[in-house]
Amino acid sequence: MAFQILIVDDKESIIEVLDTALTREGYEVTSVTTGQEAVDALKKGDYDLMMCDVRLPDFDGTQVLKTAREIHPYTAVIMITAYGSIDNAIECMRLGAEDYITKPFNLEEIKEVMKKALEKVRLVKENIALRGEIEKKYSFGNIIGKSKQMQNVMDLVRRVAPTDVNVLIRGETGTGKELVARAIHFNSARADKPLLALNCAAMPESLIESELFGHAKGAFTGAYANKRGLFEEAHGGTFLLDEIGELQHSLQAKLLRTLDEGMIRRVGDTRPIPVNVRLLFSTNKNLQEAVENGAFRLDLYHRVRGVEIVIPPLRERKEDIPPLIDYYLNKLALEHKREIKGISPAALALLINHRWEGNVRELINILEQAVLLSEGDILGEKEMLPLMSPQKADAISVLEEKSSLKE
């Protein structure tokens, strides 16, 4: 889509030159000759850039600049004048103008200044759009589930999100623990700060300590410079420690000290560094059992488990399967540009009665394969059966609770 440009100048000759040149460049140009017309245009349309003369027949161009900043704060403004002065230029820049050009101007100079200004506008709008997508993706309403169990989960998320309490999110692999963690972060006061995550099971102890706390130059072979750890990088934001139950026992003590003191020490350095981080933890283990077995520290367990959110497995909330299927079928069909209208009753029954040991992640995987391999617009049993491992099928659950033996 072409950039929208508003030109404000009382000289018809200037407007004609700019309009012609910019239209040839592919911009969509609107031109007006008075300050009031410019204000009216700004109220009606959304412009990416405005080029405005400082002196207009009805009022000063800086008034138009002020109005533009109020109505469209992300619109770039370039001021143009035949009466250039340093004071005037400074005032325009103070009021939010992107640049200040004096007449007579060079068209190539104008185009170059515009390109730089519009590139900033593009980046700002992309960031705003991305932010909106993220907020929509991780809104409370996007945690799909109408079952009582998931309603309870969402209620807990709503209540803990605005606080800074540590949250332990527990559930089997594939239940959506990270989705809940992101919903907590993006609905908190820290939403505009970083959200970082580390899988405690994904790296050896020798590396994970440096990842968490950073290291000082010369702390070990290969430490050629100081390195900030994830605690420092997440300062002001949220830090998710995934699979916290896998954290080595020696590091549990160091993590506990960080939680108690609100400070970290880089590997090879004794100086404390204060950190302000909201901590979320996730695990597919029962940490209380790990404590009883001596695999997890009791004192750390109580610090980690500020509030515990348990996400039930998909097989225990089968009423959530149809809305999950609807949501992901639409999403996957759109992503892969396939005309999929729905799923047959027989295929739906098959999915509802599956064991789902991989939970929602497994459901998404099967639906994606079915969408890609389907030859029709309705997914049926023949698309689903080859994708579902027979070892995972629960033959007994296929029978309805009140079915007779003959049925």
Side-chain angles (χ1 to χ4, degrees):
M1 186 176 178
F3 284 115
Q4 303 287 324
I5 311 296
L6 176 63
I7 300 173
V8 188
D9 201 299
D10 60 336
K11 300 290 191 294
E12 292 287 352
S13 57
I14 297 290
I15 285 180
E16 185 176 350
V17 169
L18 288 174
D19 194 325
T20 302
L22 298 180
T23 300
R24 284 176 180 169
E25 292 288 318
Y27 300 117
E28 293 187 8
V29 182
T30 301
S31 304
V32 296
T33 57
T34 69
Q36 187 57 56
E37 288 176 340
V39 170
D40 292 341
L42 287 166
K43 289 179 179 178
K44 292 177 183 177
D46 184 8
Y47 296 94
D48 298 297
L49 183 143
M50 178 179 75
M51 302 179 66
C52 183
D53 195 357
V54 171
R55 294 195 179 183
L56 296 167
D58 47 354
F59 49 78
D60 196 289
T62 55
Q63 291 179 258
V64 181
L65 169 57
K66 289 178 185 177
T67 302
R69 306 316 299 152
E70 291 170 3
I71 298 175
H72 301 296
Y74 304 114
T75 297
V77 179
I78 298 173
M79 301 301 291
I80 304 174
T81 183
Y83 310 94
S85 72
I86 293 176
D87 289 343
N88 205 337
I90 291 173
E91 176 64 9
C92 288
M93 301 300 278
R94 186 185 69 80
L95 292 172
E98 189 69 31
D99 216 324
Y100 182 93
I101 296 175
T102 57
K103 299 176 184 177
F105 51 76
N106 181 295
L107 267 179
E108 294 307 313
E109 177 191 3
I110 287 275
K111 290 176 185 177
E112 193 60 33
V113 170
M114 283 181 60
K115 284 180 182 177
K116 289 180 181 178
L118 287 170
E119 178 60 17
K120 288 184 180 180
V121 170
R122 183 186 66 78
L123 290 173
V124 168
K125 289 194 171 184
E126 281 184 1
N127 286 335
I128 292 171
L130 180 60
R131 180 74 187 174
E133 288 176 10
I134 289 173
E135 288 176 353
K136 181 180 178 182
K137 183 176 181 180
Y138 298 115
S139 67
F140 298 128
N142 212 43
I143 301 176
I144 300 166
K146 62 181 182 179
S147 64
K148 179 65 176 175
Q149 299 101 308
M150 286 307 295
Q151 291 299 317
N152 290 338
V153 167
M154 286 185 274
D155 183 54
L156 268 176
V157 171
R158 288 189 186 94
R159 282 190 280 168
V160 302
T163 74
D164 265 350
V165 67
N166 294 341
V167 180
L168 174 63
I169 306 165
R170 190 160 60 84
E172 293 181 5
T173 299
T175 49
K177 296 187 292 294
E178 186 174 347
L179 182 65
V180 168
R182 290 183 178 277
I184 291 171
H185 170 73
F186 286 109
N187 289 280
S188 73
R190 299 174 181 262
D192 59 341
K193 302 295 183 182
L195 168 63
L196 300 183
L198 176 71
N199 188 325
C200 298
M203 58 181 64
E205 183 178 356
S206 58
L207 293 179
I208 197 170
E209 185 177 3
S210 176
E211 284 295 308
L212 285 171
F213 307 114
H215 61 248
K217 181 180 178 181
F220 48 82
T221 303
Y224 300 116
N226 290 336
K227 177 192 172 184
R228 287 160 56 93
L230 290 173
F231 268 102
E232 286 183 79
E233 296 291 346
H235 183 74
T238 305
F239 188 15
L240 168 64
L241 283 166
D242 190 18
E243 301 302 345
I244 186 64
E246 303 294 337
L247 189 67
Q248 295 89 344
H249 215 276
S250 60
L251 287 175
Q252 291 178 24
K254 295 178 181 179
L255 176 60
L256 178 64
R257 185 176 64 184
T258 298
L259 295 177
D260 287 338
E261 298 177 355
M263 295 185 179
I264 59 103
R265 289 172 179 81
R266 292 175 180 171
V267 178
D269 196 347
T270 58
R271 292 173 298 172
I273 301 172
V275 288
N276 173 17
V277 177
R278 199 259 179 95
L279 284 163
L280 305 177
F281 306 92
S282 65
T283 182
N284 57 14
K285 287 187 171 182
N286 186 323
L287 289 189
Q288 193 165 2
E289 290 181 1
V291 168
E292 293 169 0
N293 296 332
F296 202 82
R297 293 176 61 111
L298 177 62
D299 45 8
L300 179 59
Y301 171 66
H302 289 306
R303 292 303 307 273
V304 164
R305 189 177 176 264
V307 172
E308 185 174 12
I309 297 176
V310 180
I311 307 175
L314 191 56
R315 61 183 170 275
E316 292 180 7
R317 48 187 179 96
K318 294 188 175 183
E319 60 266 51
D320 291 337
I321 294 176
L324 282 166
I325 291 171
D326 287 343
Y327 174 81
Y328 284 108
L329 267 189
N330 290 331
K331 183 174 182 289
L332 293 166
L334 189 64
E335 284 180 5
H336 297 296
K337 298 180 174 59
R338 300 299 303 271
E339 293 291 333
I340 304 296
K341 294 180 180 178
I343 185 169
S344 73
L348 177 60
L350 191 67
L351 293 175
I352 288 174
N353 291 295
H354 189 58
R355 281 287 298 168
W356 298 120
E357 293 181 9
N359 292 290
V360 179
R361 190 176 298 157
E362 183 186 0
L363 174 63
I364 296 169
N365 180 264
I366 287 176
L367 289 175
E368 184 164 30
Q369 291 183 71
V371 165
L372 290 170
L373 299 175
S374 174
E375 296 178 355
D377 56 7
I378 300 293
L379 302 182
E381 280 183 290
K382 72 173 184 177
E383 285 86 7
M384 295 299 175
L385 278 171
L387 305 175
M388 301 171 75
S389 171
Q391 287 84 359
K392 295 181 180 180
D394 186 354
I396 300 301
S397 68
V398 175
L399 302 176
E400 295 182 7
E401 290 183 9
K402 295 183 180 180
S403 297
S404 67
L405 180 60
K406 182 179 179 180
E407 289 172 321

